[in-house]
Structure formats: C-alpha cells, structure tokens
Amino acid sequence: MGAPAEVAFAQLLFGGIAFMLLAAGSLVVFLVIYQKRLLRQQLHLRMAEATHQRQLLAAVIEAQEGERERIGRDLHDGIGSTISTAKLLLNRLETLPPTEDAEALLRLIREIMSAAVHDVRSISHSLYPAVLARFGLAEALQHLVDVSNETGQLPIVLEVEYGQPLPLAQELALYRIGQELVHNALKHAQGATRLLVQLHQQGPLLTLLVEDNGCGFPPDSAPPARGAGLRSIEVRVQMLRGRLHRQPVSGQGTRMIIELDDSDA
C-alpha cells in the first residue's frame, strides 16, 4: 500500500518540477523575445532620428545653395551685363578724338571696369559654380585651382582620378568642402610653398585630400579652434555619410582627408 503512494508522490513531484522548468523556460523565452523587440524598436528610433537629421541638414544646405544660385545668377546676368555694356560704351568713346588727359582717364576707367567684371564673375562662381552643373566636379575643382593660382598667393597642384561621377548634390557638397579647405589653407598655412588638392576614386572609396607643406602644429598641442568653416565642412561630411580626418604633422604642414565609401551605405 505504501509503494503506490510513494509512486504517486514521485510522479506529482516530477510533474511539479517539469511544470516549473517549463514555466521558467517560457519566461526566459518571453524575456529574450521582449528584449529583442525592445532593441529593434530602439534601433528603429535611432535610425529614424538619424534619417531626420540628415534630411534636415540636406534641406538647410539645399536652401542655402538655392539662394546662392539665385544671387549668383542675378549678379552675372544683371550687374555683370551692365558693367560689360558700360565697358563697351567707354571703348566707343575712346575712338573719338579726345585730349591727352581724356585718353589717360579712359584707360584708367577701362582697367577699373575690367577688374569689376572679373570680380563680379568671381563672386558669381563662388556663390554657385556653374561649371560644376555643366561639366562636373573634376572641372569645377580645376577651375577653383586655376582661379586661386591667378592670385599668386600659393601654388596649388591638382591631381584627379575620378571615373564614376556622383550625383550633382553630392558633387556640390564635395566642391564646397574642397573650396573651404583651399580657402583655409591659403589663409592659415604659414610658411607653405605648395598646396596639393587630390581627388582619388578607387572602387567604392572616394577620397578628397587637401595638403599643405606649411609649419603645421605639433601633434601633442591643442589644435586651432573650430571656426565656422570647419563646422560647415563637418556638416557636409555628415550629410554625405563620410569621414573627416585631420592629420597635422609637426613642421610638415596639415593634411585634411574626406573619405566617402559607397559600401558603407
């Protein structure tokens, strides 16, 4: 009589243990599933926030570029045409029999007007590089280098290996980055005798490099404060989902590198 009772008790005990193990396993599975779902939701929120930030940055920069394009077109078509017409009229007046003083004055006015036309065209290109929209990033960088070399401030060498053009919006952002880097180097590269601008494309990796051979600053010293120009560069690099590397070398200048990798997209 005792044995059957013991067997029933053992069965009940094993059944209870099995039930508790099953309940514990179900709880673990529930917690794991809940944790994964929570992680997916958090990842989705972060991705949505990052997408929103990129869209916001793109909208801000697009608005800026649109305004620059409008101003540049107005300068070129309005003021530039007016000054060019005035120059033609002065050339016409020069064919009349003037006095010797009038001839000198006319020559001076013609030189001033020529300089004004050049300045207006430079401002127009700075606001919106028409050569970029027409011929692409490589030609726009070449034009930027040619115009900068005309100042005689610092010789600039351009090296381009760019076989697969990017969409216009990305090329425009890269051009603005290059423009700002060249401007910064011309302004801050003390003691430099050469400036290298390099656009190199290899597979999915596109690299824009601007390097000077100025005095630079020691690696263990504090870098210069981030001005508006560098912040603008960082915003555009972030919009392009790229990477910005700043490599100062003591006594050997500063190297700025922007990398875009399509395989990371």
Side-chain angles (χ1 to χ4, degrees):
M1 295 292 295
E6 292 177 358
V7 171
F9 177 78
Q11 292 176 344
L12 183 61
L13 179 62
F14 288 143
I17 293 174
F19 176 79
M20 287 187 293
L21 290 175
L22 181 60
S26 300
L27 180 61
V28 170
V29 171
F30 172 79
L31 291 175
V32 170
I33 294 175
Y34 176 80
Q35 186 70 21
K36 287 183 177 180
R37 182 177 300 176
L38 183 62
L39 289 175
R40 282 198 300 269
Q41 290 177 347
Q42 292 176 346
L43 179 61
H44 178 73
L45 289 175
R46 286 197 294 268
M47 291 178 62
E49 183 179 358
T51 300
H52 174 71
Q53 291 295 330
R54 287 194 297 269
Q55 292 174 345
L56 181 62
L57 291 174
V60 170
I61 293 177
E62 182 180 359
Q64 292 176 343
E65 296 298 342
E67 184 65 13
R68 286 180 172 182
E69 180 182 5
R70 184 190 66 79
I71 296 174
R73 188 166 51 246
D74 291 343
L75 282 173
H76 184 272
D77 297 341
I79 299 175
S81 298
T82 301
I83 295 177
S84 295
T85 301
K87 182 181 177 182
L88 291 175
L89 292 175
L90 288 174
N91 290 337
R92 174 61 179 168
L93 289 174
E94 194 175 24
T95 62
L96 300 176
T99 64
E100 184 176 348
D101 292 340
E103 290 180 355
L105 180 60
L106 285 173
R107 284 196 298 270
L108 177 60
I109 292 175
R110 188 172 66 250
E111 293 174 0
I112 293 174
M113 299 303 289
S114 297
V117 171
H118 179 270
D119 290 343
V120 169
R121 288 176 177 172
S122 298
I123 293 172
S124 175
H125 178 79
S126 177
L127 289 169
Y128 186 79
V131 67
L132 175 69
R134 295 178 182 176
F135 305 109
L137 178 60
E139 288 297 326
L141 288 176
Q142 183 65 63
H143 184 269
L144 172 65
V145 169
D146 291 342
V147 171
S148 300
N149 279 332
E150 286 181 5
T151 66
Q153 185 175 356
L154 179 64
I156 305 177
V157 177
L158 175 65
E159 298 177 357
V160 175
E161 187 176 347
Y162 183 57
Q164 298 293 328
L166 299 178
L168 179 60
Q170 292 180 315
E171 288 198 338
L172 182 57
L174 275 172
Y175 175 80
R176 292 299 185 201
I177 292 172
Q179 186 181 39
E180 187 64 36
L181 289 176
V182 169
H183 173 75
N184 286 345
L186 293 176
K187 185 177 180 180
H188 299 293
Q190 298 181 1
T193 59
R194 183 183 69 100
L195 181 62
L196 172 65
V197 179
Q198 186 180 78
L199 181 67
H200 180 74
Q201 190 177 49
Q202 184 174 10
L205 181 63
L206 178 65
T207 303
L208 175 63
L209 176 145
V210 177
E211 178 183 82
D212 67 79
N213 64 345
C215 62
F217 57 92
D220 56 349
S221 66
R226 293 163 61 254
L230 184 55
R231 288 196 298 269
S232 173
I233 291 171
E234 291 173 346
V235 166
R236 286 188 164 89
V237 172
Q238 182 181 356
M239 183 193 71
L240 292 170
R241 301 185 189 180
R243 297 180 293 272
L244 172 63
H245 304 285
R246 188 173 187 173
Q247 301 176 352
V249 182
S250 180
Q252 300 181 22
T254 302
R255 182 185 299 119
M256 301 289 288
I257 302 174
I258 289 84
E259 293 180 341
L260 305 183
D261 194 342
D262 288 343
S263 63
D264 292 340

